[in-house]
Amino acid sequence: MIQRSARLIHRQSQFEGALKRINGISRGGAAKADGKATTAASVFNLVNNVAGAGILTLSAAMASGTGLFPALAICAFLGSISAHCFSLIGTACELTGEGDFKGLWGRTIGENSTILVDATIALMCLSACVIYSGILGDVFTPLLAQAGLPEQFNGRTTNIVAITSMILLPLGLIKDLSALAFTSVLGFSAIIYTVLFVVIRAVDGSYKLGSGKFATDGLLLAQPSFGKSSLWNMDFNSLVLASNLGLAYIAHYNGPNFYRSLENADSKRFQKMVNISFTILVCLYATTMVAGYSTFGDACQGNLLLNYHPNDVLSTLGRLATGFSILFGFPLVTYGARKAVAGVADSLGFEGLGSEKNHFILVFGILSLVTLISCTVTDVSLVVGLTGALLGSFIVYVCPPIIYTNAVALANGEESREHRASKINLVLVPFGLLVAAMGCFMTLKEASGK
């Protein structure tokens, strides 16, 4: 269960940020001048949109063999590339007047292929639902055991079915997501709390070998070890960290929504907002990664929370915060899956699947499929990992430069100086393919080592 939970947390990092606040992604149409969000509010929303439980995987990725300074450099480099691609989406919105990713795709690449947008989102959302469902079972089962629930009533499958039927289904049927606005604050608070407690434990000596109050009773999953610790080491194992971070900044098909909601939006204001947001994200990721590694070193688990002592109150609160953040974030993912599945059905000629009369049937069907998979398949990390690597890289690194370059051509002409200058961004396409290949390689390597 521990290893499965760690792998699922790792896979969640590939999906989570892009799936929060997913409403409006799959609708086509022109952008509306209805932006009311200040730069500060947009920064908060974007950081919350991207950051997630995947932050807990970074210390283990660093422990695979990457030194301090190369790890920080990889974190900053991939953050800056992701920020640039996000900014390209906003500029494309300004050039075309489109207000969502599907409309942007149709305008710059072709209306006949917009089904790919819905299909991509549907696959990612359904995969994320399976991940979320599995994590909920793995997180709450030991917590309920710790609370004294008898073992015969506290199985992983039983808990997943109970949580789905009593909590997730009613939440998934909510049509107005503004009723769940508090979940954004909850999710962001959980992330900030996690970063703070990881830093506190890194500096207070609680886990120091030989003298730390949590390091002497033999109850830790693994004792801290620093045999591979270095400042400059960078080798083939650094691909693990690059793979984790390569998709940790994903939120790009929500880019048009952020552009549309920004007050007095233009490409310069949008780029400023994006740069501030991704700078904060780089700092959050780097701080947690280094603090976690400085506490446990080479013993860091794929889910950093597993390293902490079972009687450490701060880490128990961290597990609870993570669990409830996922629990209340689930309806947003379900919403995205429902919209995307309905969009694919419309494109295939099955119009009306997303209608009012089919609302319950569609939500119930999605949750039934997700629950069946998460209960019967003990490890979906291979399929989900490959899906995340391929589709995530496609959305983050491949689509934005192509959409931007085509948008510039539409606005200024294919022979214009602006269009010729914009083509430099196409070098990101092979970079995205490389990230996809690395993600697939690390997924297959992980699967072969089970």
Side-chain angles (χ1 to χ4, degrees), residues 129-130 132-138 140-141 144 153-170 327 330 364 367-377:
C129 283
V130 173
Y132 278 37
S133 180
I135 292 175
L136 288 173
D138 290 338
F140 283 105
T141 299
L144 290 172
F153 301 115
N154 190 31
R156 179 178 181 271
T157 297
T158 303
N159 289 334
I160 290 176
V161 172
I163 290 172
T164 301
S165 58
M166 292 189 291
I167 301 177
L168 298 182
L169 180 59
L327 185 67
F330 200 99
F364 183 82
L367 291 181
S368 297
L369 175 63
V370 166
T371 303
L372 178 65
I373 295 174
S374 61
C375 288
T376 58
V377 181

Side-chain angles (χ1 to χ4, degrees), residues 52 125 127 178 195 223-224 231 286 320 333 377:
C125 287
S127 297
S178 62
V195 174
Q223 287 291 316
L231 292 178
L320 282 171
V333 186
V377 181

